């Protein structure tokens, strides 16, 4: 008998979310962000759905190579660009596009003679202060790149918001104004919107939008869930009860005895823990679905087990199904209860157990 923990990935839900995203994006091209193994879902599980995407975004060359090996033929953007001169020829051969954000990349492009010009996205820093050239340097760099035979013309412009998920902040508006000023000098394509910007800035999608989290059915905004935007969860994490115990009033559950039973009660043990990617910091009361009935976590999360309150589902038996997030239980709620974001839960789940829906 194998361990009952499993991750169910639903490519149809991904396609549904892609359709919604394309409608919202209207005339903009939709680049699907599939970095970190498609936000932890596993590239292979989503492969048939990825063929419906016009362009893909990844962090590094290794991820792009995997996509090519799996037969994805559309353009792929390396959103962190390249780190080594030696990789440039392979990048062009594989028809990858690069984001340029640091002077070392400009120098490397001066030092090579590529067989085919590279499509580049010049990244400007408008306040995230992570990747991107300063606003003041952008004109000069564009002039320099225009003279470089290794670079496809025109030069494309890209940026990334720092606060697009905060609907009460006015920072995004200021960053848009800054981007608009710079972009007037560019004739190439322009891109700035992640999921949060795509969902909140109707009129400002430019040539290409770059949704990630919403394609997986998850809300980028705190306090909201994917269903609020008619999105469907792509990942459902399930396991089963492997033990059901009657615990006496006053007895404690798990390591550190952090939860004490207020009455005589049934407590279930579920085969999932932080070793599988369930968040160790999930608090007492974090929602769990047992046989479709909502109940809560009790006691600390162990490496391969958690305990759950079975009072609301007193008929529950060993072998009964438990959903940790996904269908019927929004991941955003679990993330909030573990003081983290859904992105992290998705990326940390152990995809060795991925099954298709
Ligand atoms: C990850 C990423 C995105 C997608 O962000 P979501 O919040 O998941 O929509 C967009 N652009 C860049 C540059 C990214 O790294």
């Amino acid at each position: 008998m194998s361990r009952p923990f499993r991750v169910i990935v639903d490519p149809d839900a991904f396609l549904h979310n892609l359709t919604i995203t394309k409608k919202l994006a209207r005339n903009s091209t939709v680049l699907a962000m599939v970095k970190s193994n498609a936000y932890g879902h596993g590239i292979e599980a989503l492969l048939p759905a990825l063929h419906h995407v016009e362009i893909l975004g990844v962090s590094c060359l290794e991820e792009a190579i995997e996509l090519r090996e799996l037969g994805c033929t559309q353009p792929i953007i390396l959103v962190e660009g390249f780190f080594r001169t030696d990789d440039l020829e392979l990048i062009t051969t594989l028809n990858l596009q690069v984001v340029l954000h640091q002077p070392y990349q400009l120098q490397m492009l001066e030092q090579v003679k590529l067989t085919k010009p590279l499509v580049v996205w010049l990244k400007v820093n408008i306040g995230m202060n992570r990747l991107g050239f300063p606003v003041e340097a952008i004109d000069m760099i564009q002039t320099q790149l225009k003279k470089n035979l290794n670079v496809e013309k025109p030069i494309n412009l890209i940026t990334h918001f720092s606060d697009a998920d905060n609907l009460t902040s006015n920072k995004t508006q200021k960053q848009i104004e800054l981007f608009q000023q710079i972009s007037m000098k560019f004739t190439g394509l322009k891109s700035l919107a992640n999921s949060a910007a795509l969902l909140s800035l109707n009129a400002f999608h430019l040539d290409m939008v770059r949704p990630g989290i919403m394609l997986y059915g998850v809300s980028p905004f705190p306090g909201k869930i994917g269903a609020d935007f008619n999105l469907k969860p792509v990942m459902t994490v399930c396991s089963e009860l492997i033990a059901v115990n009657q615990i006496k009033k006053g007895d404690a559950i798990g390591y550190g005895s952090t939860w004490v039973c207020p009455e005589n009660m049934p407590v279930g043990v579920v085969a999932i823990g932080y070793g599988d990617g369930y968040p160790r910091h999930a608090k007492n009361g974090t929602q769990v679905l047992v046989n479709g009935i909502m109940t809560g976590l009790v006691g600390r999360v162990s490496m391969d087990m958690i305990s759950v309150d079975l009072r609301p589902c007193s008929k529950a038996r060993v072998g009964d199904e438990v959903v940790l997030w996904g269908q019927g239980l929004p991941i955003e709620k679990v993330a909030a209860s573990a003081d983290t974001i859904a992105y992290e839960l998705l990326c940390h789940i152990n995809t060795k157990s991925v099954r298709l829906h």
Side-chain angles (χ1 to χ4, degrees):
M1 205 180 88
S2 60
R3 191 150 183 264
F5 160 66
R6 60 206 185 277
V7 178
I8 296 165
V9 170
D10 181 357
D12 291 337
F14 184 92
L15 281 178
H16 165 89
N17 300 334
L18 182 64
T19 306
I20 299 231
T21 305
K22 283 183 174 170
K23 270 196 205 130
L24 285 169
R26 282 176 296 199
N27 299 324
S28 305
T29 302
V30 174
L31 169 146
M33 288 301 316
V34 293
K35 62 192 177 202
S36 268
N37 203 17
Y39 285 49
H41 292 68
I43 286 286
E44 288 193 54
L46 290 175
L47 199 56
L50 294 187
H51 293 310
H52 296 264
V53 172
E54 287 162 273
I55 171 162
L56 296 162
V58 295
S59 316
C60 59
L61 184 53
E62 289 80 354
E63 292 175 327
I65 292 172
E66 189 191 0
L67 288 168
R68 287 288 181 254
E69 283 174 352
L70 290 169
C72 293
T73 53
Q74 61 270 70
I76 300 175
I77 298 191
L78 301 174
V79 295
E80 293 170 17
F82 52 90
F83 320 120
R84 267 173 276 282
T85 320
D86 289 349
D87 291 337
L88 279 168
E89 195 55 49
L90 181 59
I91 287 172
T92 40
T93 318
L94 291 177
N95 189 24
L96 311 179
Q97 307 184 3
V98 297
V99 169
L100 302 177
H101 56 83
Q102 279 283 305
Y104 71 82
Q105 297 172 317
L106 306 179
Q107 283 156 18
M108 289 173 179
L109 280 173
E110 298 284 348
Q111 288 158 6
V112 289
K113 194 170 178 326
L114 300 175
T115 42
K116 179 171 86 168
L118 193 57
V119 175
V120 301
W121 293 79
L122 184 55
K123 185 154 191 174
V124 56
N125 170 25
I126 54 168
M128 175 76 157
N129 293 313
R130 191 178 61 181
L131 296 186
F133 289 101
V135 170
E136 309 77 54
I138 288 293
D139 274 354
M140 203 189 72
I141 296 168
Q142 184 181 205
T143 310
Q144 183 188 339
L145 286 171
K146 276 181 177 165
K147 293 184 214 143
N148 191 324
L149 295 178
N150 291 316
V151 172
E152 177 83 26
K153 320 298 180 301
I155 315 289
N156 306 303
L157 188 66
I158 193 166
T159 195
H160 196 51
F161 290 121
S162 53
D163 294 67
D165 61 332
N166 181 351
L167 296 169
T168 60
S169 164
N170 60 1
K171 231 176 152 176
T172 303
Q173 202 48 47
K174 294 208 176 102
Q175 293 180 351
I176 289 176
E177 282 158 25
L178 197 54
F179 187 77
Q180 273 175 314
Q181 285 168 24
I182 304 151
S183 64
M184 284 189 293
K185 298 210 174 127
F186 279 75
T187 54
L189 301 175
K190 286 148 202 139
S191 174
L192 48 57
N194 56 3
S195 300
L198 174 57
L199 288 165
S200 59
L201 306 171
N202 266 332
F204 212 71
H205 292 160
L206 302 181
D207 301 299
M208 184 179 78
V209 290
R210 308 188 306 270
I213 199 75
M214 67 184 289
L215 294 173
Y216 305 96
V218 177
S219 159
F221 305 109
K224 290 198 163 40
I225 61 169
D228 295 336
F229 305 97
N230 195 14
L231 301 168
K232 293 183 183 166
V234 178
M235 179 193 291
T236 297
V237 173
C238 312
S239 190
E240 288 173 11
L241 291 174
I242 57 163
V244 174
N245 299 312
Q246 296 299 324
I247 311 288
K248 289 202 184 69
K249 177 178 177 178
D251 281 355
I253 305 294
Y255 289 121
S257 302
T258 58
W259 198 83
V260 176
C261 296
E263 58 186 314
N264 292 342
M265 58 182 277
V267 173
V269 179
V270 186
I272 188 169
Y274 61 80
D276 305 300
Y278 190 84
R280 202 190 81 92
H281 295 286
K283 295 189 189 70
N284 284 317
T286 300
Q287 292 184 333
V288 173
L289 272 182
V290 178
N291 287 332
I293 298 169
M294 199 66 83
T295 182
L297 181 77
V298 290
R300 279 200 193 139
V301 173
S302 304
M303 189 183 289
D304 43 14
M305 284 176 267
I306 58 170
S307 294
V308 295
D309 182 351
L310 291 183
R311 283 175 295 176
C313 25
S314 52
K315 292 203 184 79
R317 296 285 172 267
V318 167
D320 284 358
E321 193 196 53
V322 181
V323 171
L324 290 314
W325 66 68
Q327 200 80 51
L329 173 48
I331 189 173
E332 295 90 337
K333 300 219 162 140
V334 179
S337 189
D339 292 326
T340 185
I341 52 174
Y343 294 76
E344 191 185 35
L345 298 189
L346 293 172
C347 288
H348 282 182
I349 203 73
N350 189 338
T351 39
K352 269 186 265 170
S353 309
V354 166
R355 313 244 172 104
L356 287 185
H357 187 61

